Amino acid sequence: MPTLPNQAQPSLEGRYRGLKLRAGLAAATVHRRRLKHANFIGVTGSCGKTTTKELIAAALRSELRGRSSPRGRNDLALVGQTILRTTRRDSFCVVEVAAGRSPGIVARKAKVLRPNIAVVTTIGSDHYKTFRTLDATAAEKRALLVGAADGATAVLNADDPHVLAMAEGFRGRVITFGCSPAAMLRALDVRSPWPERLSFSLHCEGRVVPVRMRLCGKHWVTSALAALAVASVTGVTLERAVDALTGFEPLPGRMRPVLRDGVTFIQDDVKAPLWSLGAAFDFLAEAEAPRKIAVIGTISDYPGSSARTYVRTARRALEVADEVIFAGPLAGSALKADAEALRAFPTASEAAEYLRSSLREGDLVLIKGSGEADGLEQVVLAR
């Protein structure tokens, strides 16, 4: 019988990795069944998963012992590893459950995790190339609820119709959060005009509690409310949970302020899907600073041509910033917006070199890009 060419045959190393993964997930599944006393919490959505997961862990640790998946990784193997690290002394285990490059990844993770609490933040077009539509993206994320344990609780964003629709047909308890009047945990008077940080009034079960945080941008209210909702489900007192969130610092690359020689950089450069730019631009529009500058790297996950996308982005950025700088291989496309305050550089290092000589004390610089693909941290380091 003829054999496939060597390059088409699975390598021994690849087969070994596959066997190791399956063995690890099988062990995690068995271990998960033994830990009936702990609340396993899965967090999914198109954005804000990492910060939401960390906020949940911070809120719960104010009264409970538990585990959380490490930052920067959300692959299938990590779900199993985090479960296996959970012990009988832990009261909770919170895991970020991300989608992948093909449908069905969330379902595979949920099958192992079997969350007692399933959290969904929001639905956006982060995985446009894979799912194409918001409905398809929502279906992928909803798999976390489908794979939840018996008697589980769903914690859902009432401000996102795609998320709220997941309550239909869910057999467990549903807790909703958001700014919507129908939300069970509701935020009012949401503010975050830089240099102020995020603040809002929490309305919950007839109570009004002021919440003041270190996060930058009103959009983080979704993550904060999700964490407080999970705290309420697990029995953590509201006051302790709110206190825990008060001192939580922004995570690296997620609207994190960095002060260098009188210039403030807001680093939001983990990823830059097109639909997420609006929240960053809204932050810049409300910010108070002598001069506001937007530095934009590679934009991802958008339909249509890159030329039109970059031009539209440039025009929107020019509405909220005094100067707009694009960096990366497609940066030149933005110049068709034709504005004196608009510049483009093919690399982050060239943009950094320009800013090194042009920035002045008091400037507020928003950095929005796609992680290692852009290397926009050079802009901060160059100061």
Side-chain angles (χ1 to χ4, degrees):
M1 180 179 292
T3 60
L4 295 171
N6 288 336
Q7 61 266 29
Q9 296 179 5
S11 67
L12 287 176
E13 183 180 357
R15 277 186 269 180
Y16 172 74
R17 286 199 302 267
L19 289 171
K20 185 178 179 181
L21 175 60
R22 287 193 291 272
L25 294 177
T29 300
V30 172
H31 188 60
R32 163 69 181 90
R33 290 171 182 162
R34 292 174 180 155
L35 300 175
K36 297 180 180 179
H37 67 288
N39 276 310
F40 284 80
I41 305 155
V43 181
T44 194
S46 294
C47 70
K49 293 184 296 295
T50 300
T51 295
T52 301
K53 178 203 67 178
E54 294 294 329
L55 286 171
I56 290 171
L60 298 192
R61 286 188 181 120
S62 67
E63 293 186 0
L64 305 171
R65 174 186 173 129
R67 304 274 174 170
S68 63
S69 55
R71 301 175 195 169
R73 284 186 57 199
N74 50 34
D75 54 88
L76 180 58
L78 184 66
V79 175
Q81 291 167 12
T82 305
I83 293 171
L84 288 170
R85 293 190 184 107
T86 307
T87 71
R88 296 184 184 277
R89 292 180 295 173
D90 293 317
S91 297
F92 71 88
C93 172
V94 56
V95 177
E96 180 177 341
V97 181
R101 295 181 179 179
S102 60
I105 299 299
V106 171
R108 292 185 67 189
K109 293 176 180 179
K111 185 178 180 180
V112 181
L113 184 63
R114 293 186 65 247
N116 304 103
I117 304 172
V119 182
V120 187
T121 59
T122 188
I123 299 299
S125 56
D126 276 37
H127 296 279
Y128 174 78
K129 290 183 179 179
T130 301
F131 301 111
R132 295 295 177 179
T133 68
L134 294 181
D135 287 342
T137 302
E140 174 71 10
K141 305 294 186 179
R142 192 182 186 281
L144 183 66
L145 277 66
V146 175
D150 293 339
T153 299
V155 177
L156 305 177
N157 181 2
D159 296 337
D160 188 319
H162 284 92
V163 176
L164 190 58
M166 296 180 189
E168 185 176 352
F170 182 70
R171 296 183 179 180
R173 180 186 180 193
V174 174
I175 303 292
T176 59
F177 62 87
C179 298
S180 166
M184 298 167 71
L185 279 82
R186 186 184 182 194
L188 293 178
D189 306 317
V190 182
R191 290 177 48 81
S192 186
W194 179 266
E196 292 183 33
R197 306 294 182 93
L198 176 66
S199 66
F200 59 93
S201 296
L202 173 65
H203 292 241
C204 177
E205 297 180 344
R207 301 177 60 188
V208 180
V209 180
V211 181
R212 289 175 174 79
M213 303 179 66
R214 300 290 297 162
L215 299 180
C216 301
K218 292 195 293 188
H219 58 290
W220 291 120
V221 71
T222 297
S223 297
L225 289 172
L228 294 171
V230 172
S232 71
V233 174
T234 58
V236 173
T237 57
L238 182 60
E239 289 77 11
R240 294 288 290 274
V242 169
D243 285 346
L245 300 195
T246 298
F248 185 93
E249 291 290 342
L251 300 181
R254 294 169 172 87
M255 297 296 289
R256 184 175 188 173
V258 178
L259 182 63
R260 289 289 181 92
D261 299 329
V263 175
T264 300
F265 299 88
I266 304 294
Q267 283 190 265
D268 193 32
D269 54 356
V270 169
K271 59 181 182 178
L274 177 63
W275 78 282
S276 72
L277 297 180
F281 291 160
D282 288 345
F283 165 83
L284 201 57
E286 293 188 347
E288 296 182 7
R291 191 169 67 139
K292 297 184 281 190
I293 300 167
V295 179
I296 303 168
T298 302
I299 304 170
S300 65
D301 299 289
Y302 53 84
S305 73
S306 59
R308 286 195 295 270
T309 297
Y310 276 74
V311 169
R312 286 196 296 265
T313 300
R315 288 171 178 161
R316 172 69 178 115
L318 287 164
E319 293 174 357
V320 300
D322 299 294
E323 185 174 12
V324 177
I325 297 167
F326 281 79
L330 296 176
S333 300
L335 294 177
K336 294 179 182 179
D338 192 22
E340 185 177 345
L342 179 63
R343 290 170 177 79
F345 299 92
T347 65
S349 60
E350 290 172 272
E353 183 64 30
Y354 166 75
L355 287 167
R356 182 182 291 114
S357 59
S358 65
L359 288 177
R360 53 181 181 258
E361 186 173 349
D363 284 349
L364 177 65
V365 184
L366 170 69
I367 301 175
K368 184 68 176 176
S370 296
E372 295 179 0
D374 291 327
L376 289 178
E377 69 278 359
Q378 297 176 65
V379 173
V380 180
L381 297 175
R383 178 60 179 170

